[in-house]
Amino acid sequence: MSRETHIVGFQVGRETYGVPITSLHEIVRVPEITAVPDAPSYVEGVINLRGKIVSVVDLRKRFGRPAPEVHRRNRILVVEHRGRLAGMIVDSASEVLKIPESEIESAPAMMQESGLECITGLGKYQGRLIILLDVNKLLEVRETEKKETAPEPAASQKGKAAAQSATAGT
Amino acid sequence: MTDSPDDRNAELRELFFESARELLQSLNEQALRLEKAPGDAEAARTLRRVVHTLKGDAAACGYRELSELAHELEDALTLDNPATDGSVPDIALRAADLFGEMLEAYRRRKKLPSTHALRQAIAGFAPKAATAKGKKKAAKTATVRWSEYQQLAIRQALAGSKQVYQVSVQLDPECGMPIAARQMIKVTLAGLGEVLAVYPEEGAPGPRSKLEFALASEKPAEQIRAKCRIPTIALNAAVVVMRAEEPPRSIPVPVVPAVEPDPETAAAPAAELAAEPPRPLSVETTSPAPAASTDNVLRVDTAKIDNVLNLVGELILVKSMLQQALSEFSQRFPKEPLRGKFSDAMAFQARVLNDLQRSVMKIRMVPVEQLFRRFPRVVRDVSRQSGKDVNLQLKGQDTDLDKGILDTMAEPLTHLVRNAIGHGIESSEERVRNGKKPQGTLRLSAYHQGNQVVIEVSDDGHGVDVEKVRHRAIAQGLLTSEQAARLSETEILDFVFRPGFSTAEEITELSGRGVGLDVVQSVMQRLKGTVQIETEAGRRTTFRLRLPLTLAIIQALMFRVEQRLYAIPLNTVLEIARAREEDVHQVDQYEMLQLRNDVLPLLRLGRPRLPGVDSARRKFFVLVINGGDRKFGLMVDELEGEEELVIKALDDQSISTDLVSGASILGDGRVVLILNLIALLDRFARTRPDGTGSQRSGLLLSGTDRALQVQTMAGGQA
């Protein structure tokens, strides 16, 4: 019998993604989120996780989808990243998948070249394709993005720039 | 080797640094006392005791250089009644500085500073006394210092009616392996009885040529002595019986040559030792006098206290969750008799929690004295350097302040004190010319005022010349002359806190480089405090520093902007006003509001005003903020009330912003952001108006908001 990897599967849009269960701290419902000024657009804000303040990104925005209305199935995956907790909003998350290692393929070279280093592989599970992610890489990317925009915080976000051009047009 | 850096040693060293700091402080204090009152025998004794303790502790931690230097100093102090020699305090103070440097070097594992100058000073001072005493032998003392634990062991052995010997073994200087030799002697002695204590302790340096043991044994002294004579290792051994009935002597010990470690005299120590057998038990009983009041004091890492405080904060959160649940319960079951029981228990719990929180907060509080006590020394040095006669008065030392704040205040206060002596107080001649007392007075005082602690540094010097500051500000290009003419005296005085600003004509070592006061300002901003100058030309200057009692909890005013909840420290709010959009005037891209006779610049935190008649009548609140040198108004949509907030840091890299100084969690679990007003104002002034002629608004909007704004605007246009 081959070894199995335990993967927590979650949905963003129509795709199912997976992260190793060991990289997850917990999964919680979406509480009220407090927006933080100056934050990049994909950072939703901060939540109160039992007395700890934890920043939350929206993976749906992170993957370039417009964020749909908040649904009660929505969850926050809480992970530990660089010694602190961080949250990721996903459409839903419920199952733990046991995928045999033989069923996991490494990510196609094309994906890695296109800057999707956070994808570690593709898993097959009962005929479904699971995109396996490296949580730390996923969160690190946002940090480099943040750094790039840091020098001019006031006009840092694309949204703001767009807002300016939009208002300039009026 | 001796410096084996194992964990136990590291811990020991930490303790040592902690206590050494206190020893140095009291070294300073006693030296100053002695300087003020030459001939104060008590001060002289304390001084010696402090040096002695430092020596012993340093030796125990393996800091040989420090221990040796302390030893030399102690000798110098021991030789004669040091109170008669005027140079003692000076040398002690210099030594305190050097010890401090050495400690720092040890701590950072850096190169040790040179001890040469001090050694010479000590040496130049020692012979005088030595001849006075006429007993050269006394110069070299290597006191055996049993640790408390060892003393206990010895005492217990004595109480257990065993014979306890003190065995002094002189090692053969030819012996190449002192460690092995020591081990060998120890084993030999262990064969004869129980070795209770060894000096120097394992791993600690000390007179390497001599070992002292406390041995509990039934064998006669002669036999022990014979056993200890190991060829090529031990030259000599002296065995003395320790007696139990010797009561532990009080700490001050008459100046008596304690041991004779010099190789040439070591051959016959037995007789002398016999004359003073209880030495190991009595001389070094406990910590020296300065630490006497700290018997019941526990040193705790502040991080641990903060951790407890955090937990208490969470308990408070749980309390409000329960309260909410209870009120829902009451609504659903209004007739349920359990309700009363619940609310009784809740009320009790709330009271206990309150007490708990206050107690934990109190742990973080320390008296300002800890900060003030360093200043007598600073004042002495600075006034000496500048040739001025200054009397320092301290007031309100028992005022409590958060430990973190206290530590941060040391630097700015030192700046202010140096500044007051360097710039403020005149020389004696000048003072007399101006009809003042020749001696200047510098006063440090602390007191509570409401939710704040006020620390004042005042001097009765010539005051700050407002006109001079005004001219200097113009000369340095900080102001145009028209602007300068318009500013009030207080506003002008604030310029002294600008980086690089100095009114001193000449640059001295003490002050005048223009560095200093801006440090004060920046520290105060960091601590969310304020600094103010009050001055009366020719008479006095007072710097008044206002600090929050603690950084962990603030009294906050909460409000909403665009439905979002924010908080600011309540003490920054001068007043709250209501206004309508139509009252807002647009002046050169700034929004202004006329409030009584003032024109108040407004910060619009939310979205810009939409054109239209409806919005013109929209009402909002204006929080009038005291921004140090100027007032401004924050436009907010709704007020939520005030609350005591436990501040948590918002230190996540991806969301860190200077606009937010922290966050807090409310009773219902919501997170509220605490705004950093200074950064907000700063950002507001820097942001370029975005070409539309509209206001600088939306500072608090997040990226998401802005994206939404684009959508709505684009939608509106389409």
Side-chain angles (χ1 to χ4, degrees):
Chain A
M1 219 199 104
S2 66
R3 287 172 27 157
E4 290 176 330
T5 319
H6 290 223
I7 298 286
V8 173
F10 58 89
Q11 281 75 42
V12 176
R14 287 185 306 152
E15 305 302 334
T16 301
Y17 296 85
V19 291
I21 198 165
T22 48
S23 64
L24 268 195
H25 196 268
E26 62 189 300
I27 299 174
V28 295
R29 289 173 192 278
V30 181
E32 185 172 336
I33 298 179
T34 302
V36 180
D38 277 357
S41 57
Y42 53 84
V43 173
E44 283 298 292
V46 290
I47 58 163
N48 163 25
L49 185 74
R50 289 189 310 280
K52 282 201 181 73
I53 292 175
V54 174
S55 69
V56 173
V57 298
D58 194 329
L59 273 197
R60 299 170 296 187
K61 287 187 197 164
R62 179 79 184 72
F63 293 157
R65 294 168 192 282
E69 290 291 297
V70 178
H71 194 276
R72 57 177 205 51
R73 274 191 317 169
N74 291 169
R75 290 289 183 278
I76 292 180
L77 308 185
V78 182
V79 296
E80 202 170 318
H81 177 56
R82 293 201 184 162
R84 54 167 45 253
L85 297 178
M88 305 186 292
I89 303 181
V90 298
D91 282 328
S92 64
S94 49
E95 45 190 351
V96 176
L97 317 171
K98 291 173 193 163
I99 306 181
E101 275 178 6
S102 57
E103 291 292 289
I104 296 176
E105 288 172 25
S106 60
M110 192 186 74
M111 279 187 173
Q112 281 169 347
E113 276 162 23
S114 55
L116 294 169
E117 290 135 347
C118 50
I119 298 179
T120 57
L122 299 171
K124 276 174 276 178
Y125 182 75
Q126 294 174 358
R128 285 149 67 195
L129 195 66
I130 317 276
I131 304 168
L132 301 178
L133 299 174
D134 180 330
V135 172
N136 282 313
K137 289 238 174 75
L138 198 65
L139 292 172
E140 240 147 60
V141 176
R142 71 177 179 144
E143 266 158 33
T144 51
E145 276 174 34
K146 165 87 177 172
K147 244 170 244 150
E148 280 160 21
T149 56
E152 242 220 302
S156 60
Q157 290 80 31
K158 279 179 222 139
K160 167 84 177 188
Q164 283 179 4
S165 55
T167 44
T170 47
Chain B
M1 261 307 290
T2 46
D3 315 328
S4 65
D6 66 56
D7 283 351
R8 201 175 53 88
N9 273 357
E11 203 172 300
L12 191 69
R13 279 169 199 190
E14 265 321 300
L15 273 177
F16 166 67
F17 285 129
E18 221 11 74
S19 69
R21 248 211 333 249
E22 256 166 42
L23 287 173
L24 289 189
Q25 180 59 44
S26 59
L27 184 59
N28 269 320
E29 279 166 13
Q30 296 307 326
L32 287 175
R33 193 170 136 201
L34 200 58
E35 191 173 60
K36 273 217 183 88
D40 185 337
E42 179 55 36
R45 258 202 302 279
T46 319
L47 195 63
R48 202 168 57 230
R49 209 154 57 214
V50 170
V51 176
H52 185 92
T53 312
L54 184 67
K55 177 187 80 177
D57 288 357
C61 285
Y63 297 133
R64 192 169 43 82
E65 298 86 351
L66 179 59
S67 167
E68 278 170 7
L69 189 62
H71 179 76
E72 280 174 37
L73 179 66
E74 192 198 352
D75 280 351
L77 297 174
T78 328
L79 290 174
D80 196 4
N81 181 5
T84 55
D85 193 311
S87 62
V88 167
D90 201 50
I91 285 186
L93 288 174
R94 280 172 59 190
D97 289 342
L98 188 60
F99 288 156
E101 283 170 36
M102 289 172 84
L103 285 170
E104 200 52 34
Y106 283 131
R107 195 201 274 273
R108 293 167 190 266
R109 300 182 190 282
K110 282 203 182 130
K111 201 173 155 281
L112 286 176
S114 160
T115 60
H116 184 69
L118 184 68
R119 282 220 152 98
Q120 269 192 330
I122 295 173
F125 154 74
K128 266 190 280 170
T131 43
K133 183 87 184 171
K135 199 167 178 188
K136 182 85 173 53
K137 275 191 226 159
K140 277 277 176 195
T141 41
T143 326
V144 172
R145 184 162 194 280
W146 300 127
S147 73
E148 250 169 279
Y149 173 74
Q150 290 169 331
Q151 288 177 33
L152 189 71
I154 294 168
R155 244 179 257 136
Q156 273 173 353
L158 286 170
S161 71
K162 275 189 199 160
Q163 188 80 288
V164 179
Y165 297 99
Q166 162 134 6
V167 184
S168 317
V169 181
Q170 188 68 40
L171 289 185
D172 190 333
E174 303 294 306
C175 172
M177 295 178 291
I179 308 263
R182 166 201 169 103
Q183 200 56 35
M184 196 154 169
I185 296 167
K186 199 172 160 190
V187 170
T188 310
L189 288 175
L192 295 166
E194 190 191 351
V195 179
L196 299 170
V198 188
Y199 179 89
E201 276 182 78
E202 210 129 0
R208 205 67 59 79
S209 57
K210 187 174 164 105
L211 291 171
E212 303 257 358
F213 295 89
L215 177 75
S217 168
E218 273 130 36
K219 305 278 184 330
E222 224 6 84
Q223 192 184 343
I224 295 170
R225 188 174 305 155
K227 280 273 186 190
C228 283
R229 284 205 191 100
I230 310 171
T232 77
I233 288 179
L235 280 184
N236 235 310
V239 181
V240 183
V241 180
M242 289 199 232
R243 266 173 255 134
E245 62 271 18
E246 284 294 334
R249 253 186 269 162
S250 60
I251 304 153
V253 156
V255 189
V256 172
V259 211
E260 305 292 340
D262 306 72
E264 67 268 25
T265 52
E272 276 191 56
L273 283 173
E276 213 198 15
R279 165 175 43 84
L281 282 181
S282 57
V283 179
E284 312 294 336
T285 37
T286 44
S287 48
S293 59
T294 60
D295 276 353
N296 293 321
V297 174
L298 200 61
R299 279 180 212 286
V300 184
D301 192 346
T302 37
K304 286 185 188 165
I305 298 172
D306 288 350
N307 196 20
V308 177
L309 195 61
N310 270 338
L311 291 174
V312 172
E314 275 163 45
L315 271 183
I316 289 170
L317 205 79
V318 175
K319 180 192 77 176
S320 17
M321 279 164 71
L322 277 175
Q323 241 146 15
Q324 253 174 4
L326 178 67
S327 71
E328 270 176 47
F329 179 82
S330 311
Q331 275 171 12
R332 207 173 301 171
F333 309 104
K335 298 222 170 83
E336 176 61 54
L338 263 182
R339 274 175 41 210
K341 279 192 186 174
F342 276 136
S343 49
D344 282 356
M346 293 282 301
F348 181 51
Q349 185 209 29
R351 212 164 50 232
V352 175
L353 266 181
N354 236 343
D355 287 354
L356 178 63
Q357 186 186 7
R358 218 169 309 135
S359 314
V360 178
M361 298 278 297
K362 239 182 214 158
I363 300 177
R364 281 190 61 97
M365 298 295 206
V366 286
V368 173
E369 193 204 350
Q370 288 193 10
L371 179 63
F372 279 6
R373 61 190 293 197
R374 76 175 67 203
F375 286 107
R377 175 71 198 275
V378 174
V379 170
R380 169 196 179 269
D381 288 358
V382 178
S383 53
R384 218 172 241 209
Q385 264 169 291
S386 56
K388 290 172 181 171
D389 188 4
V390 180
N391 173 32
L392 175 70
Q393 292 177 358
L394 300 176
K395 242 183 84 184
Q397 284 130 291
D398 52 355
T399 312
D400 281 342
L401 190 56
D402 184 275
K403 170 86 170 127
I405 298 179
L406 192 96
D407 290 345
T408 326
M409 284 307 293
E411 198 194 346
L413 264 192
T414 312
H415 275 301
L416 287 178
V417 165
R418 296 179 86 94
N419 196 64
I421 302 171
H423 291 331
I425 294 175
E426 317 89 330
S427 63
S428 297
E429 304 84 64
E430 196 183 332
R431 290 181 66 90
V432 171
R433 250 199 328 274
N434 294 332
K436 292 182 180 177
K437 278 192 306 183
Q439 190 183 45
T441 304
L442 178 67
R443 199 159 74 175
L444 281 175
S445 48
Y447 54 90
H448 284 287
Q449 197 177 65
N451 238 350
Q452 290 180 315
V453 172
V454 184
I455 298 181
E456 287 180 359
V457 181
S458 40
D459 64 70
D460 62 348
H462 53 54
V464 180
D465 188 340
V466 181
E467 284 317 305
K468 208 156 121 191
V469 176
R470 202 188 295 265
H471 288 135
R472 190 57 69 98
I474 296 168
Q476 294 193 354
L478 299 169
L479 272 180
T480 63
S481 12
E482 300 97 72
Q483 282 173 320
R486 261 188 280 137
L487 292 180
S488 72
E489 204 163 281
T490 335
E491 285 168 318
I492 289 289
L493 281 175
D494 276 336
F495 273 96
V496 302
F497 294 113
R498 293 287 180 98
F501 193 91
S502 174
T503 54
E505 301 294 335
E506 59 189 310
I507 288 169
T508 66
E509 196 200 328
L510 294 175
S511 39
R513 289 197 206 92
V515 184
L517 287 182
D518 60 312
V519 170
V520 178
Q521 176 87 310
S522 68
V523 170
M524 292 308 287
Q525 283 181 359
R526 209 165 65 229
L527 295 177
K528 300 181 180 61
T530 59
V531 52
Q532 237 181 359
I533 314 179
E534 250 179 48
T535 184
E536 203 177 318
R539 298 196 63 84
R540 59 183 191 88
T541 310
T542 300
F543 284 86
R544 187 166 296 131
L545 311 169
R546 287 173 191 279
L547 294 157
L549 266 181
T550 168
L551 290 180
I553 292 190
I554 58 161
Q555 197 67 33
L557 178 72
M558 299 199 296
F559 54 85
R560 283 183 182 278
V561 176
E562 304 284 338
Q563 264 92 66
R564 299 225 168 94
L565 198 58
Y566 299 99
I568 55 172
L570 189 62
N571 58 15
T572 58
V573 181
L574 293 174
E575 65 169 294
I576 299 171
R578 294 209 74 170
R580 286 172 205 272
E581 286 284 2
E582 58 192 357
D583 302 330
V584 176
H585 300 280
Q586 187 94 16
V587 183
D588 192 20
Q589 289 161 355
Y590 286 95
E591 288 182 292
M592 302 281 189
L593 180 74
Q594 184 161 3
L595 188 69
R596 292 185 295 274
N597 292 327
D598 281 340
V599 176
L600 194 69
L602 290 180
L603 259 71
R604 191 185 284 271
L605 299 174
R607 294 195 172 93
R609 170 187 167 184
L610 296 166
V613 188
D614 285 355
S615 63
R617 304 203 57 81
R618 196 174 76 94
K619 279 187 170 180
F620 58 89
F621 289 94
V622 177
L623 310 181
V624 183
I625 306 293
N626 175 16
D629 45 353
R630 58 210 147 138
K631 288 199 287 186
F632 61 94
L634 284 188
M635 288 174 74
V636 306
D637 300 339
E638 284 168 62
L639 295 179
E640 272 290 302
E642 48 177 281
E643 193 158 331
E644 213 163 60
L645 297 181
V646 182
I647 302 180
K648 290 169 180 270
L650 201 64
D651 51 1
D652 191 325
Q653 276 297 311
S654 63
I655 49 167
S656 68
T657 164
D658 58 343
L659 294 183
V660 175
S661 59
S664 185
I665 293 173
L666 300 178
D668 55 7
R670 282 179 299 170
V671 180
V672 58
L673 300 180
I674 300 156
L675 298 179
N676 177 356
L677 289 170
I678 288 160
L680 212 57
L681 193 62
D682 208 46
R683 183 77 68 83
F684 180 71
R686 268 194 299 123
T687 314
R688 285 181 301 273
D690 45 17
T692 59
S694 80
Q695 318 76 3
R696 306 139 192 242
S697 57
L699 280 179
L700 292 183
L701 298 180
S702 66
T704 318
D705 291 327
R706 295 206 171 91
L708 276 177
Q709 199 175 336
V710 183
Q711 281 170 12
T712 50
M713 284 200 166
Q717 273 177 343

